[in-house]
Every structure is written in structure tokens, then in C-alpha cells.
Amino acid sequence: LVAAGVWLVRMPLAEFMIGQALSERGTEADLRVVNLNFERITISEFRIGAPDAPDVDVAWIEAHWEWRGLTPRLQAVRVIEPKLRLRVDREGHVSGGALDRFEADAGPARRPSIPRLELEIVDGSAEIAAPFGALIATFESQGTIGEDFTAAARITNTTQSDANYAL
């Protein structure tokens, strides 16, 4: 009976747990869990930063995992229409706004590694506020990290200048 109750409230519970995990790492997020089962989660309306000017805004995220005994192992992530807002100051420092406060898990120290993970990013865009004006970039990726992963980004052609800066 308890298991059935937990299954019925799994999506609001997942929203709370994900939001709490991000909050513990210094980042406030809003999101909506659309689907959650034993093999995948689908999230929509994912936002980090102010509601009226988010630093990250993603229309759709799908994550798939497989089970090894009682432990899930993330296998694939598909990110649809991520939008990033970045800022570059006059000294060349890049800021992701609310992302700058994100702190990695402070668990036991271990050698960092990149997991073999299939990552697809579809129709990504970034707005970069720079001293000489705004830049717009698009990006996408596909493949498995560590195997056949490819990523591409392109800044829209522009000619801009302001005081001591030119592009």
C-alpha cells in the first residue's frame, strides 16, 4: 500500500528531490517532471535563474538509465532547446549568472572521470552579453562521450565595436 502511494506521488516527489539537490549545491531551479518510471525521467520547463531572465531555460530533458542490481546507471541524456545566458566582462571573465553559484558534490575526494554517456543536445542557443554588444550562438551535440561524441557551436556573423573592443 505504501509503495502504491509513493508511485502515485512520484512526479511531485521527484520535482522536490531534484530542486532540493540543486538548492543544496547553491542553485535555485524550477522544473516540471512529465514522466518518471524505472527506466527514464522526462523533465519540461527546466529553469535556473530569475523567472523573467533565466540563465538556463530548457524546454525538454530526457534521461535514461539501466539498472545494475539495485543501482541505476545513467546511460543517455537528450536536451531539447536549451537556452543559455552568459556574460563576458571587460576583463574577459565569463559568468553564467546563477550557474556560477553551482557547487559540485562535496563527497569523498576521488579522481574525476567523464562517464560514458550518450548526450544529445538539439537546437541549443546562447545569448552572450559582451562589452561590445550581444552575441548569439547556436550549439548541438550527439554521440557517446569517450567514443563518438561530436559537438558544434556557431556564433552568428557579426561586426561590432565599442570603445576599446571590436569583433
Side-chain angles (χ1 to χ4, degrees):
L1 187 58
V2 172
V6 170
W7 184 256
L8 291 174
V9 297
R10 71 189 184 282
M11 290 191 284
L13 185 59
E15 289 174 7
F16 172 78
M17 298 294 284
I18 294 167
Q20 186 65 28
L22 289 169
S23 179
E24 287 174 3
R25 288 170 176 78
T27 303
E28 295 293 328
D30 288 325
L31 60 115
R32 197 178 74 144
V33 174
V34 177
N35 185 25
L36 174 62
N37 59 40
F38 290 111
E39 297 174 347
R40 77 180 65 198
I41 187 169
T42 305
I43 297 171
S44 70
E45 303 169 23
F46 181 83
R47 179 190 54 76
I48 293 176
D52 58 336
D55 297 306
V56 176
D57 189 12
V58 182
W60 199 260
I61 302 169
E62 297 172 357
H64 302 263
W65 54 84
E66 70 176 5
W67 290 88
R68 297 211 173 149
L70 297 175
T71 306
R73 182 181 166 274
L74 186 62
Q75 288 210 278
V77 177
R78 186 170 193 239
V79 182
I80 309 294
E81 296 179 5
K83 294 179 175 75
L84 305 175
R85 293 178 66 138
L86 304 171
R87 286 161 284 303
V88 179
D89 66 19
R90 294 194 178 277
E91 287 77 40
H93 300 110
V94 178
S95 171
L99 290 176
D100 294 350
R101 295 187 299 274
F102 186 82
E103 298 174 8
D105 185 2
R110 59 184 154 173
R111 185 176 177 172
S113 65
I114 298 174
R116 292 202 185 278
L117 171 71
E118 185 178 330
L119 176 61
E120 181 181 12
I121 299 174
V122 179
D123 294 333
S125 65
E127 179 181 320
I128 306 161
F132 45 79
L135 300 172
I136 304 298
T138 59
F139 58 93
E140 59 187 30
S141 76
Q142 65 181 22
T144 302
I145 296 172
E147 291 179 13
D148 60 352
F149 182 75
T150 60
R154 178 185 174 108
I155 294 178
T156 305
N157 290 338
T158 186
T159 300
Q160 299 183 32
S161 63
D162 180 31
N164 297 322
Y165 303 94
L167 178 65

